[in-house]
Amino acid sequence: MSNNSTQTDRLLQYIDGEMNEAEKALLQTELRSDETMQAELDNLLLATEVVKKYGLTRSVAGIHREMMEEMNTPSVKQPAVVRHMPRQLMKI
């Protein structure tokens, strides 16, 4: 496994919260001193955010599509109950 791949794996673990406190502290120290690593972290964070937003957009689009299908499906209306009020009043 290459060093860059190992670095990316560590950054992904950091983003996902899979590191213990000692590992996090060590990585944060490395990030302060290595601009390239910090830039990769920023890119990974951006990519993660984009994927989350895309998933949310797809989910909302699916719900919207289902709602539109429900609204466009003709519903069976129950016939109105007609009561003969005048006849009832005349009996009284």
Side-chain angles (χ1 to χ4, degrees):
M1 189 181 290
S2 71
N3 188 32
N4 191 33
S5 177
T6 304
Q7 177 177 305
T8 302
D9 290 342
R10 286 180 63 215
L11 292 173
L12 288 172
Q13 288 174 345
Y14 178 74
I15 290 170
D16 292 339
E18 297 174 353
M19 290 185 158
N20 62 38
E21 292 303 317
E23 291 171 326
K24 270 196 242 182
L26 178 62
L27 184 67
Q28 288 169 347
T29 302
E30 290 176 33
L31 286 168
R32 279 188 230 107
S33 63
D34 188 347
E35 290 180 15
T36 306
M37 184 185 274
Q38 181 63 50
E40 184 177 354
L41 176 64
D42 294 341
N43 288 336
L44 288 171
L45 287 169
L46 179 62
T48 303
E49 194 64 31
V50 167
V51 168
K52 285 179 186 177
K53 287 187 187 265
Y54 177 74
L56 180 61
T57 301
R58 297 284 296 179
S59 180
V60 169
I63 293 169
H64 180 261
R65 186 176 53 253
E66 288 176 17
M67 288 179 58
M68 293 307 290
E69 287 173 3
E70 284 181 23
M71 290 175 62
N72 292 331
T73 303
S75 60
V76 178
K77 293 186 178 182
Q78 297 289 333
V81 177
V82 178
R83 300 192 190 267
H84 299 286
M85 293 293 282
R87 191 179 304 160
Q88 296 294 332
L89 289 173
M90 295 302 282
K91 287 181 181 179
I92 295 176

